[in-house]
Amino acid sequence: MRNVRRTQVMGWRWRSNPLRRHSDVVEAWIVLAAWTAATAGGVAAGVVGSQAAEHVVNQDRAGRRPVSAVVVKTVPGSGRDVVTGVRYDRVLATVRWSDGKGPARTGTVDVTPTAKPGSEVRAWTDGRGRLVAAPVSSTEAATRVVLAGTGVGLATGLTVLGGGRLVRLRVQRRATERWGAEWERVEREWGHRTG
């Protein structure tokens, strides 16, 4: 058996053809509308998503304040993974700091392994004076913004394409039902069944 090569003709659903059904034209417009809406909607949603992520990252970075803290003690073994034995470049330490508005506070932060009790380290606090992680770097902030925008844009575009696919399947189903009804009518005129 020889191979049959299928030829795809661009825009065939819009061309005048006696075999073209009305549903073929409707399907073509659905596909065009879905891709257009997915592209435009995805870009718009991506821009809005990245702006929202940038606002959140900037608020988070602005809400963190550096304070000078003194190491009280380091947590033994916190610089090594218990299971694998891998050493980390940070260890946990209990530190004491004062924000100048009240009594001295204590908490746990990551410090370098060389930090000894009594040494001064930089810690970060939020607006309420609680210890928090250091703010993200500019590079990490930009990465988060780009990933958020890309994720929102892709999700929006894929959702629109999925909706377009569902509409197209509904049109195909109705065309198949019409074709089946037409075939039954033709069979009755012939007076016998095929197959």
Side-chain angles (χ1 to χ4, degrees):
M1 182 176 235
R2 65 182 183 163
N3 291 335
V4 177
R5 200 171 96 194
R6 186 174 171 197
T7 305
Q8 190 82 17
V9 178
M10 294 288 293
W12 72 269
R13 293 178 190 261
W14 283 292
R15 291 185 180 181
S16 179
N17 182 334
L19 298 177
R20 182 188 69 187
R21 302 170 294 180
H22 175 69
S23 63
D24 293 333
V25 176
V26 171
E27 281 184 57
W29 282 109
I30 289 170
V31 169
L32 179 64
W35 276 99
T36 302
T39 303
V43 168
V47 168
V48 170
S50 65
Q51 288 174 346
E54 184 176 25
H55 178 71
V56 168
V57 167
N58 287 341
Q59 268 190 329
D60 185 53
R61 290 178 73 188
R64 296 173 190 243
R65 303 277 181 256
V67 294
S68 180
V70 176
V71 175
V72 176
K73 67 177 180 174
T74 57
V75 178
S78 64
R80 179 184 293 268
D81 188 331
V82 178
V83 177
T84 62
V86 174
R87 292 183 82 52
Y88 297 119
D89 62 343
R90 307 293 283 176
V91 295
L92 294 176
T94 303
V95 296
R96 179 178 298 124
W97 80 98
S98 174
D99 57 4
K101 298 178 183 175
R105 300 178 181 199
T106 59
T108 305
V109 296
D110 290 339
V111 296
T112 60
T114 58
K116 302 292 180 210
S119 61
E120 194 172 297
V121 295
R122 178 159 58 172
W124 295 86
T125 60
D126 62 8
R128 297 183 180 138
R130 297 177 298 196
L131 285 177
V132 293
V136 295
S137 67
S138 298
T139 304
E140 189 176 345
T143 302
R144 288 183 183 186
V145 168
V146 168
L147 289 177
T150 302
V152 170
L154 284 175
T156 301
L158 290 175
T159 300
V160 171
L161 286 177
R165 179 71 176 150
L166 290 176
V167 171
R168 185 174 171 212
L169 288 174
R170 178 71 177 144
V171 168
Q172 285 177 344
R173 186 178 311 129
R174 289 190 67 201
T176 303
E177 289 169 0
R178 285 184 192 150
W179 182 76
E182 183 70 20
W183 187 249
E184 284 180 16
R185 187 184 63 76
V186 169
E187 278 185 329
R188 281 194 301 272
E189 289 177 9
W190 286 348
H192 68 279
R193 292 205 166 266
T194 58

